[in-house]
Amino acid sequence: MGGAVSAGEDNDELIDNLKEAQYIRTELVEQAFRAIDRADYYLEEFKDNAYKDLAWKHGNIHLSAPCIYSEVMEALDLQPGLSFLNLGSGTGYLSSMVGLILGPFGINHGVELHSDVIEYAKQKLDFFIRTSDSFDKFEFCEPSFVTGNCLEISLECTQYDRVYCGAGVQKEHEDYMKNLLKVGGILVMPLEEKLTKITRTGPAAWETKKILAVSFAPLIQPNHAESGKSKLVHLPPMAVRSLQDLARIAIRGTIKKIIHQETMSKNGNGLKNPPRFKRRRVRRRRMETIVFLDKEVFASRISNPSDDNNNCEEFEEERREEEEKCVPELKPDPPVNFLREKLKMSSLRTET
């Protein structure tokens, strides 16, 4: 799947192409896509293909095409504070983008069949948290991943506001997927070769919309041949935030506000100095007078009394312009991640 838009030279150009083709239509989705570099979720030897609108698979690791993820993100209609369940969470790329929108009071869970892919996703999540400036710019809802078959989720699990399944769902499993939703919730999944959006409008009422034709590998059916028993998947509990978490969120928010205020005061409320317009210099020409007298010609030059003063002014202005040209342009200092710096200072004080 994919190939709907042109390849980009980098992540931003890929997003520009998705916007131009109307796959990305809202600001929240655009910000999430720009905040996480798709190439970071590729193996090093395959990164040259990261900005193509194509799916990628290597062993059990898989990424859908950017145009598919765009349609999924738009269809989910994500808002801060919602709960999200990703069935077939894979590398965690989609879950991390969703987490940037859900914010610190959301719920972000993923179920993945392959344990090696879970480890890969955790490595990528750790790398994002440690190195990405986007982690400091957004209030992030960190995803939690569990290993198991998403068709064996315990019936005791809590329902979710938003659910996405990243594998083809057979018609026989449609009701199973629907029951994972809260009333008012949205489910997006490939159903009968169509990316489908289902909204739960009541306890037994649904609205269905077909988004676009897709081709996904089907869900892997549970295998009970070895033990004869199903291995129920227990999702992480939707626990109330601890005091420590609430304190951390409040401290981060306060530091971000302080940094924003300091930046605004340094930059003069963020407004740059207005452009300086050069005054247009008008050169006055001396007037020459030619007098014809009989057969002789007399030429005389009549000078304006203010010419001498104007010449001086013009000379001074030219001198000032030359001086301005000679002043070397100062290169701006590289951007500083103030939030990370303040957190480092706090940790150093704690250690001492």
Side-chain angles (χ1 to χ4, degrees), residues 5 13 34 43 45 89 133 184 192 233 237 278 284 330:
V5 300
E13 189 172 331
R34 291 193 189 279
L43 292 170
E45 59 267 33
S89 52
D133 286 341
E192 297 182 318
V233 176
K278 292 184 179 180
R284 295 178 176 82
L330 297 176

Side-chain angles (χ1 to χ4, degrees), residues 182-208:
K182 293 179 180 179
V183 173
I186 295 173
L187 164 67
V188 178
M189 62 180 178
L191 181 66
E192 297 182 318
E193 302 297 312
K194 295 283 193 302
L195 189 64
T196 306
K197 175 181 178 179
I198 299 175
T199 305
R200 189 169 193 171
T201 56
W206 316 85
E207 286 182 359
T208 302

